[in-house]
Amino acid sequence: MNVLGIIASGVAALFITVVLAKGVRRTALRSGIGREPGARPSRAGVVRRLGGATVVIGVGTAAAAGSGLGAAGDGGRAVTGLLAGAGIVAALGLVHDVRPLGVPLRVAVQTAAATLAVCLVGLSPVAGVLAVIWIVLVTQAFSLLDTSDGALATVGGVTAAGLLACAAVDGRSGLALVPATLLAGLIGFLLHNWHPARLRPGASASLFTGFVLASSGALIHAAAPPERAAWAALPVLATVALADTALVLISRRRASRPLLQDGGDHITHRLRRVRVTVPGTAVVLGLWAGAAVATGTSVYAGVLHPALALVPPAGSALAVLALLRIPAYAAPPRTATRRPAPGTPARTAPPTPPAPAAAEPARTPAGRPTVPPPPTGRPAVGLTADRS
């Protein structure tokens, strides 16, 4: 395992992401993009379409350079396919940030990108189809985490650390290179995405992060030795993202709301409703993901029994049930009406008296209306107060 090459690629990803993020922030604020007349510039709205590109460029450049210099070892083909598919998904997210796209088109493009990443690995048809379904599902789940400052970067960074540990257990440089660079890039981006966020990931970085994590997990599972319980350990790493997706779908189904319409019903929104701060929300999600990642990594390494991999999903299911009790949608206002007692005649409102007729203006002997003289002196106090 080329440890020095992986470390150098991670440092490069961190440096490139930090420099680009700082430059994008300064350029956007100086140019006044997103400034509304009479309002202060919105930092989140200014760089919504540009912030995610810093992660994509930093991670993609560092991983491609590391693979070209031999840091990926014999897994260069798998890294190439993964980066190509991730680039397609990131471009899709960037277009979606500029002009929203339909769900069928986005799913079709993500399926094509996942197929490209899987085909270059050489999986069997059945395993390839399952891997593509898993990649699309996890990519969509992570794309929904961009609902609070630092949430996506925190959960994505913790998950990338778990995948890096699983790849390091088997000593596979090619499978450890991409999670290492993603971890470093998300740490650099988190410096600008922590509350109050100066940059937002947007669809570009969220889809890119989910695709890289899901594809890396699928490739590690395909290359895992038979003694590894990869089938039980690796799905646990995506527990938080899948729990958030399940919470959203169940909430909207119970409320008879459109499943694909955005709303304030995610984990982050419900934690804010119980007075958890924005930084506290990111910390809670990070600890939640850390518990799942520690369990999954220990099961993969053989430290824990594979049956213990059921603990994080079971705990997440209980957490989802608890979060469902927190109201997510505003209730319609109720009108205070009192029903009459049985046998009591209904009361009717008294008739409205007719409005008084307007007074006839004074007229001259010739029959023409008189015109009042112009006002003199200071205006009335009430008029002055109204103008002020």
Side-chain angles (χ1 to χ4, degrees):
M1 184 174 179
N2 191 350
V3 179
L4 294 179
I6 294 176
I7 294 177
S9 300
V11 172
L14 176 64
F15 177 77
I16 295 173
T17 304
V18 170
V19 172
L20 289 179
K22 191 172 184 179
V24 167
R25 177 192 173 192
R26 288 183 176 180
T27 303
L29 293 178
R30 288 177 181 177
S31 60
I33 301 175
R35 185 187 297 270
E36 298 179 359
R40 297 177 61 186
S42 174
R43 291 177 296 183
V46 166
V47 292
R48 180 181 295 274
R49 303 172 183 176
L50 303 175
T54 61
V55 180
V56 176
I57 297 175
V59 175
T61 303
S67 178
L69 295 176
D74 55 354
R77 181 182 176 88
V79 172
T80 301
L82 193 155
L83 292 178
I88 294 174
V89 171
L92 171 70
L94 189 60
V95 174
H96 182 68
D97 285 333
V98 178
R99 184 177 182 180
L101 304 174
V103 176
L105 178 60
R106 283 182 286 164
V107 173
V109 175
Q110 293 171 23
T111 303
T115 304
L116 174 63
V118 169
C119 287
L120 294 180
V121 181
L123 297 177
S124 63
V126 177
V129 171
L130 294 178
V132 169
I133 295 175
W134 171 257
I135 291 173
V136 174
L137 176 63
V138 175
T139 300
Q140 288 292 336
F142 270 91
S143 68
L144 299 178
L145 286 178
D146 183 22
T147 54
S148 181
D149 295 347
L152 175 67
T154 302
V155 176
V158 173
T159 307
L163 291 173
L164 175 61
C166 292
V169 169
D170 296 329
R172 297 184 179 273
S173 301
L175 301 179
L177 175 62
V178 179
T181 54
L182 180 62
L183 172 61
L186 290 177
I187 291 176
F189 184 75
L190 190 60
L191 299 177
H192 298 274
N193 186 236
W194 193 256
H195 182 74
R198 278 78 66 186
L199 296 178
R200 292 287 304 275
S204 180
S206 59
L207 290 175
F208 178 82
T209 301
F211 186 90
V212 170
L213 293 174
S215 301
S216 299
L219 298 182
I220 293 174
H221 180 276
E227 64 271 12
R228 303 292 184 191
W231 56 271
L234 294 177
V236 177
L237 303 183
T239 298
V240 174
L242 296 178
D244 182 70
T245 302
L247 175 65
V248 169
L249 294 179
I250 295 174
S251 300
R252 295 176 185 177
R253 179 65 177 175
R254 293 174 58 182
S256 300
R257 289 174 172 261
L259 298 180
L260 304 179
Q261 183 179 358
D262 295 337
D265 47 10
H266 294 263
I267 295 177
T268 55
H269 299 138
R270 296 174 192 265
L271 291 179
R272 293 290 294 127
R273 285 184 172 86
V274 293
R275 300 184 181 277
V276 179
T277 62
V278 176
T281 300
V283 172
V284 169
L285 292 180
L287 294 176
W288 187 350
V293 166
T295 304
T297 305
S298 300
V299 171
Y300 185 87
V303 178
L304 299 178
H305 193 272
L308 294 178
L310 297 175
V311 175
S316 299
L318 296 177
V320 169
L321 293 177
L323 291 171
L324 285 173
R325 302 177 65 88
I326 302 175
Y329 309 109
R334 298 181 178 180
T335 56
T337 57
R338 299 178 59 184
R339 296 182 178 180
T344 304
R347 297 182 179 180
T348 58
T352 304
E360 291 290 336
R363 296 179 178 273
T364 60
R368 299 180 178 178
T370 59
V371 179
T376 58
R378 292 186 176 182
V381 176
L383 182 60
T384 306
D386 291 341
R387 289 180 178 179
S388 63

